[in-house]
Amino acid sequence: MRIAMEADSSFEDEFYQRPRRKPKSGKQKGVRGNPEGDSILGKEKGKLRAPPNSDNDSSFDVISPSKKRKTHINPDPLENVQRKPTKRHLQMYSDTDLSSLDQTDTPDTLSQISSIMPCSDVSMQTTFSRMRKPKGRADITLEKAVQKARGQPDGAERSFHQKKASKSILQPRLSTVREAAEGRTSDSSTQEVCVEDEPASPGPQQFERRKSMKVKLKRAASNAAGKLKSLKGKKVQLSESRLIAKCKMEDSQLEETSESKKTKLKELPFKERKKVRKMLKNNFNMIQRSKKIWEELRRHDVKESKKHELCTELMGFVKGNMKEFAFAHDTARVLQCLVQHGSPGQKDEVFEEVKDQICLMARSKYAKFLVKKLIVYGSKQHKNHVFKSFHGNVRKLVRHREASDLVEFAYNEYANAPQRLSLLEDFYGPSFILFKTPDMRCLDQMLMLQPDKKDMILSNMKEALLPLIDKTILVHSMVHRIFFEFFVHASDKMRSDMIEALRESLMHMIHTRDGSRVAMYCFWYGNAKDRKIMIKSLKTHVMKICCEEYGHLVMLAMFDGVDDTKLVQKAILDDVIKNVPQLAKNQYGKKVLLYLLCPRDPRFFHPDVVKILQEADLSTTSKKQKSIRHRELLEFVSEPLLKYIADYTRELVMDNTSLLFLSAIITHSLGDPTAAMTAIAKLASEPFVAGSLQNMHIVEHSAGHMALKKLIQSDKERIQEGKSVLFSQILLQTLPDGGLKSWAACNRGCFTLAFLLELDHPEVTDLVTAQLIGVRNALKKMTFKGAQVLMQKLDAVNGEFKL
């Protein structure tokens, strides 16, 4: 018996020394369940109770807590995880004096357990306890002893709640049961465990324990009340603290933690929040003072002496901080003003501080304007250094959104020929970046001196130009220059590849001289598909292109190179015809109309322009003959142009700039010009009063007189071409009787009559001489040149008649 008890005690020690496992979400059940039912220990975990002294529950002196008990919730969630038995739990079992029993004396059989308490009573009590499920503390000491003596059934696993039991509670209880089975119990234990008749009376320790519990409850209640009160006053305290913090920040600008700063910035209005952020920056006071000086310095009415003082004071503030100030939106303007109005020495100081960051500043949204000021107001050394800084970085800067504008400005406005070449050499290849050739001025000279490098240069240019085909980059003239040089020297295969890449982006290039030349090359050497795409891309911009200095040349190249005249008529000429009055008033739009009437006519086009347009004749992609292409376009625009003359006769005749245009329409149009000629003749048939300044007659007007002269002289060409419609005949038929005599009263009228006589048309000559017979004597008395010329013409005609 003794050996069995020692074995049991060693087993218990080993059991309590095993490491605990973390509890899982569900319970672990064995293969076979406990025949006596689940243990109360597993159901009522942590609610242990000492066994009563008898079957009557009223004899148990420890008062169970009431059903509705106010509990204090611990705010700390970590204390609720795997809590160990506390002093409060151990005090609940002080009545049985479990600690005084021997832990090694454990009953092994049911007979030994029966000596402590009848088995029937125990089984009945456990059964009723499962049925009723009391909320108070349950008696589990006896049940634990039964389970220990009986052991686990075959195949059953150790339940999870057995592993989880608290060693500090189970050991005293098991030792108490063993001592009771051995019969060696202490006085206090036998009174509470073995004696059933005598009820246990509460001792002084129990009263002290109850008193301490009441004190703890009161403390917990007071703590809860204090926390509730603090929560109620939290909102008022927060508003007061915010107001105090706001006042402190405005007055003393104290340093605070990052979290408090964020909270206060969110609460402040926008303007105050912006002010606080500025105050947190370095050199805030210096920046504010510099801006005030700048505001005064930038005014136009400041005297030079005052400007010198302000620049000197401003230099003292910004010196040493220019690299930082150049990238801010406000302080960058301060430095720009200092460069513009400062002395040469002050400009040198600014340049020395920022000269190592020229390329970086060129990429900045605000610092690039400081570089621009250095180019405009800096010395020659400053400008040269800026261009040297750009050398080798042009390809990167051109693709940058901010830097591209600065490079374009420097290239167009202030760069000389060598500096422009240095910017363009980045596209020729790396060898030209590393090895400078000062004698070269353009790519043509390079290829003449080094023809073996042509393929290498063109391949590098093609590789560098393809990424630049973007609408934000193609607007720069420097890029247009690179494209133009490539098209001039490239082979047909390279041209076709580049045209295919550029055909949808020509609209962004034709506003410059080199860009328009590139577009002309695309129309000359592109195939039918490329031309169709290019024409459609320009369809919505026809008026703008026709009125540009270089854009109208693209239209002329299109008329010379595109064989599909139907497409040109629908996409381009429809808009041209609808806007003839606007185009006729523009000097470049008028040339577009004149090129449709008489292409490459030296009277209307400069020889250099004609030379450029003649390159279209070398194209191998245009199959239709030039004369056929020109006639198809002229037939489409002739009738609208003649109608335009009939509708706007007075404006055209009285305008010096429209004189040649009027003559070209009547001379070269393929339609019937009778309506247009009649409209001009009606204008000439109005009553004429010599010397009238209010309503000057067409004969006496400088532009009207020349218009009549050109139209009369053009009748010679019409007679030679065999045309039956003559302006001179229509004019004489429209004039009233005696109209020619009134014209002879002024100098320009006499010249107009002389032009009619010079036509040598029998019908016209007879009508003029017949009406001027009565004014011969008056013409002899007139002294102006026109009268003398007219008399000579009349005498010549009469002499011919006499002969």
Side-chain angles (χ1 to χ4, degrees), residues 540-769:
T540 57
H541 308 281
V542 174
M543 284 296 297
K544 183 179 179 182
I545 297 171
C546 291
C547 296
E548 287 185 352
E549 180 181 2
Y550 302 107
H552 80 280
L553 297 175
V554 179
M555 290 295 177
L556 306 187
M558 183 194 306
F559 299 152
D560 280 343
V562 179
D563 293 337
D564 191 357
T565 55
K566 295 294 183 182
L567 177 62
V568 175
Q569 292 172 7
K570 292 180 181 179
I572 305 298
L573 295 183
D574 283 343
D575 290 343
V576 170
I577 291 171
K578 292 178 183 178
N579 300 280
V580 169
Q582 290 81 3
L583 292 176
K585 294 178 181 179
N586 184 272
Q587 59 174 336
Y588 303 113
K590 192 181 297 181
K591 289 185 178 181
V592 175
L593 298 175
L594 288 172
Y595 200 80
L596 292 170
L597 294 169
C598 46
R600 304 180 189 177
D601 192 336
R603 293 179 297 176
F604 306 111
F605 301 97
H606 195 274
D608 293 340
V609 176
V610 174
K611 184 178 180 180
I612 293 173
L613 295 173
Q614 287 175 353
E615 193 172 351
D617 301 336
L618 303 177
S619 175
T620 58
T621 55
S622 298
K623 306 299 181 181
K624 188 179 292 187
Q625 292 183 4
K626 181 176 63 174
S627 59
I628 297 175
R629 189 188 309 113
H630 167 63
R631 186 174 184 83
E632 291 175 354
L633 297 177
L634 183 58
E635 289 176 354
F636 186 78
V637 300
S638 293
E639 290 296 334
L641 291 177
L642 291 172
K643 186 176 182 301
Y644 167 68
I645 293 177
D647 295 338
Y648 297 88
T649 306
R650 183 173 292 276
E651 295 179 5
L652 292 172
V653 171
M654 299 297 183
D655 186 11
N656 290 322
T657 59
S658 301
L659 179 61
L660 295 177
F661 180 54
L662 174 66
S663 175
I665 293 175
I666 294 177
T667 304
H668 299 285
S669 59
L670 300 178
D672 186 7
T674 304
M677 292 180 180
T678 304
I680 298 172
K682 288 181 179 180
L683 188 63
S685 64
E686 295 178 354
F688 171 68
V689 179
S692 177
L693 299 177
Q694 294 179 356
N695 296 320
M696 188 173 291
H697 196 269
I698 184 175
V699 175
E700 199 171 8
H701 193 275
S702 59
H705 161 255
M706 291 299 297
L708 293 176
K709 175 184 175 181
K710 293 293 183 183
L711 292 175
I712 294 170
Q713 289 178 349
S714 65
D715 285 344
K716 293 182 179 181
E717 298 179 2
R718 301 179 70 85
I719 293 172
Q720 294 176 1
E721 294 175 359
K723 295 180 180 180
S724 59
V725 180
L726 298 178
F727 175 73
S728 301
Q729 292 179 346
I730 296 174
L731 178 62
L732 293 176
Q733 294 173 3
T734 307
L735 287 174
D737 295 339
L740 293 180
K741 293 180 181 180
S742 62
W743 288 9
C746 67
N747 184 36
R748 289 175 177 172
C750 293
F751 277 109
T752 304
L753 296 174
F755 295 148
L756 289 172
L757 295 174
E758 288 179 356
L759 186 59
D760 292 337
H761 191 275
E763 183 180 354
V764 174
T765 303
D766 293 341
L767 289 174
V768 172
T769 54

Side-chain angles (χ1 to χ4, degrees), residues 36-211:
E36 290 296 327
D38 295 334
S39 174
I40 300 175
L41 179 63
K43 293 182 178 181
E44 299 291 332
K45 180 173 65 175
K47 297 181 179 181
L48 304 180
R49 180 181 178 182
N53 294 330
S54 63
D55 295 337
N56 189 6
D57 293 339
S58 61
S59 62
F60 184 58
D61 294 333
V62 179
I63 301 174
S64 62
S66 60
K67 295 182 179 180
K68 295 182 180 180
R69 185 182 62 177
K70 295 182 179 180
T71 58
H72 174 66
I73 301 174
N74 191 354
D76 190 1
L78 298 176
E79 293 182 7
N80 297 327
V81 180
Q82 296 182 359
R83 300 178 65 180
K84 295 181 179 180
T86 60
K87 184 177 180 181
R88 180 180 177 184
H89 293 111
L90 297 177
Q91 287 176 355
M92 295 179 183
Y93 302 97
S94 61
D95 297 340
T96 58
D97 196 11
L98 299 175
S99 60
S100 62
L101 300 176
D102 188 7
Q103 297 180 4
T104 60
D105 298 333
T106 304
D108 296 332
T109 63
L110 291 175
S111 59
Q112 294 176 353
I113 298 172
S114 300
S115 62
I116 303 172
M117 184 176 291
C119 182
S120 61
D121 296 338
V122 172
S123 62
M124 184 65 68
Q125 184 179 4
T126 56
T127 303
F128 283 122
S129 65
R130 289 198 301 271
M131 292 173 61
R132 290 181 297 174
K133 296 182 180 180
K135 294 184 180 179
R137 294 183 179 86
D139 185 6
I140 62 172
T141 304
L142 188 59
E143 183 183 357
K144 184 66 180 178
V146 173
Q147 290 181 0
K148 181 66 178 175
R150 185 176 296 168
Q152 295 289 343
D154 296 338
E157 296 178 357
R158 186 179 299 273
S159 61
F160 178 74
H161 60 270
Q162 287 179 345
K163 298 178 182 179
K164 196 75 184 288
S166 176
K167 182 176 179 181
S168 61
I169 299 175
L170 291 177
Q171 284 182 351
R173 185 173 67 250
L174 293 175
S175 61
T176 305
V177 175
R178 287 173 187 157
E179 289 182 358
E182 292 276 329
R184 44 185 188 82
T185 59
S186 60
D187 296 339
S188 60
S189 62
T190 54
Q191 290 179 2
E192 296 178 0
V193 178
C194 298
V195 180
E196 298 180 0
D197 297 333
E198 295 181 5
S201 59
Q205 296 180 355
Q206 293 180 356
F207 285 108
E208 293 178 359
R209 185 168 59 254
R210 293 175 185 175
K211 186 176 180 180

Side-chain angles (χ1 to χ4, degrees), residues 315-451:
M315 179 59 71
F317 284 109
V318 302
K319 189 174 183 180
N321 299 304
M322 295 181 188
K323 291 183 179 180
E324 180 183 354
F325 288 174
F327 294 91
H329 72 96
D330 49 359
T331 53
R333 291 177 171 88
V334 175
L335 295 180
Q336 295 170 32
C337 191
L338 184 60
V339 172
Q340 181 176 355
H341 300 288
S343 62
Q346 293 171 347
K347 294 178 182 179
D348 292 338
E349 291 183 13
V350 176
F351 176 75
E352 289 297 329
E353 284 198 32
V354 301
K355 67 178 182 179
D356 297 334
Q357 295 183 338
I358 296 297
C359 291
L360 182 61
M361 292 167 62
R363 297 186 180 94
S364 175
K365 184 178 180 181
Y366 304 107
K368 68 177 183 179
F369 294 103
L370 179 58
V371 181
K372 186 175 180 180
K373 290 291 184 181
L374 289 173
I375 296 174
V376 177
Y377 297 101
S379 62
K380 186 177 180 180
Q381 291 76 13
H382 299 167
K383 297 176 183 178
N384 293 335
H385 181 81
V386 171
F387 283 105
K388 287 181 181 179
S389 301
F390 289 163
H391 184 69
N393 300 301
V394 177
R395 293 177 59 177
K396 295 180 181 179
L397 294 176
V398 166
R399 291 196 296 265
H400 196 273
R401 184 183 62 180
E402 303 294 341
S404 59
D405 296 334
L406 180 61
V407 176
E408 172 69 11
F409 172 78
Y411 176 83
N412 270 334
E413 303 296 335
Y414 289 93
N416 52 30
Q419 290 171 347
R420 288 189 177 188
L421 182 62
S422 66
L423 296 178
L424 298 178
E425 283 177 347
D426 287 14
F427 298 92
Y428 299 156
S431 61
F432 292 92
I433 299 175
L434 298 176
F435 305 102
K436 180 66 177 175
T437 53
D439 297 334
M440 302 297 178
R441 295 299 180 93
C442 60
L443 182 61
D444 295 336
Q445 293 182 2
M446 292 183 183
L447 296 179
M448 288 177 62
L449 297 176
Q450 300 175 352

